[in-house]
Amino acid sequence: MIGILGQKVGMTRVYSEEGRAIPVTVIAAGPCPVVDLRTPEKNGYSAVLLGFSERKPQRVSKPLAGTFKRAGVTPCRWLREFRVADSGKWEIGGTVNVSLFQAGEAVDVTGTSKGKGTAGVIKRYGFGGAPASHGVSKTHRKPNSSGASSYPSRVFKGKRMPGRMGNERVTVKNLTVVAIDVENNLLLVKGAVPGAKNGLVLVHKQG
């Protein structure tokens, strides 16, 4: 499932032929050089390693500098692998750009969600909280009971409790590509994608 790397520019709206406003996220996607290939014989799986966003050579480690030099590409800020059925179809040093996509097709977008810090159960999970009436003392926003009694005498893993909110890998599926600007390397996707502005996103083709 090949895709492309990009940066989230922000959100805007475009209008359909019927005059209907469509909210879209603008992604500055590619061009992404093919830095390396993963093969079943050497690595045990097939994948394409893509780079994105040029970086100063002096800011790259020596092992990565050697990888970029062998590929004949400019050092990149980000590197990500895309699993494919057959990596032999790709060539090291080649380029992937937004022409890989077509308007109207569905894509999956992966990014890192905004970090909200430590949050309680009301903000994090939408708990209702305790009544704010007489007799309720300092438990208005608390989760209350968190475990069983003598058996099993523990709190089950995955229980919804206060903790860090956001700043995690999130994938939004089945977003529609509204428009493509090959000249400016822009991808317009209907709806919102995870992450803050200028954050890295991975746009996957489906199938």
Side-chain angles (χ1 to χ4, degrees), residues 187-203:
L187 199 63
L188 273 62
V189 179
K190 183 179 179 180
V193 304
K197 292 180 181 178
N198 299 320
L200 175 69
V201 293
L202 283 68
V203 185

Side-chain angles (χ1 to χ4, degrees), residues 76-117:
C76 300
R77 180 181 177 187
W78 287 301
L79 291 173
R80 292 295 185 274
E81 285 186 3
F82 288 85
R83 292 289 186 103
V84 293
D86 182 13
S87 58
K89 298 179 181 178
W90 303 89
E91 183 179 350
I92 297 177
T95 304
V96 177
N97 55 33
V98 292
S99 60
L100 178 72
F101 302 93
Q102 295 180 353
E105 76 171 304
V107 294
D108 300 338
V109 182
T110 301
T112 302
S113 62
K114 290 182 179 179
K116 305 296 180 66

Side-chain angles (χ1 to χ4, degrees), residues 4 10 22 41 43 52 54 68 82-83 85 88-89 94 98 102 117 124-125 144 154 156 177 180 187 191 197 202:
I4 198 170
I22 303 174
E41 296 79 17
N43 308 101
F52 176 64
E54 293 185 0
F68 291 123
F82 288 85
R83 292 289 186 103
K89 298 179 181 178
V98 292
Q102 295 180 353
R124 194 179 184 194
Y125 296 111
N144 293 327
R154 64 187 176 89
F156 290 108
V177 176
I180 299 167
L187 199 63
K197 292 180 181 178
L202 283 68

Side-chain angles (χ1 to χ4, degrees), residues 8-49:
K8 179 178 176 180
V9 177
M11 292 197 69
T12 184
R13 72 182 70 177
V14 296
Y15 292 91
S16 64
E17 295 180 355
E18 296 80 17
R20 183 176 300 173
I22 303 174
V24 296
T25 300
V26 181
I27 300 174
C32 296
V34 178
V35 178
D36 203 356
L37 300 176
R38 308 290 190 243
T39 61
E41 296 79 17
K42 183 178 179 181
N43 308 101
Y45 63 97
S46 295
V48 178
L49 181 65

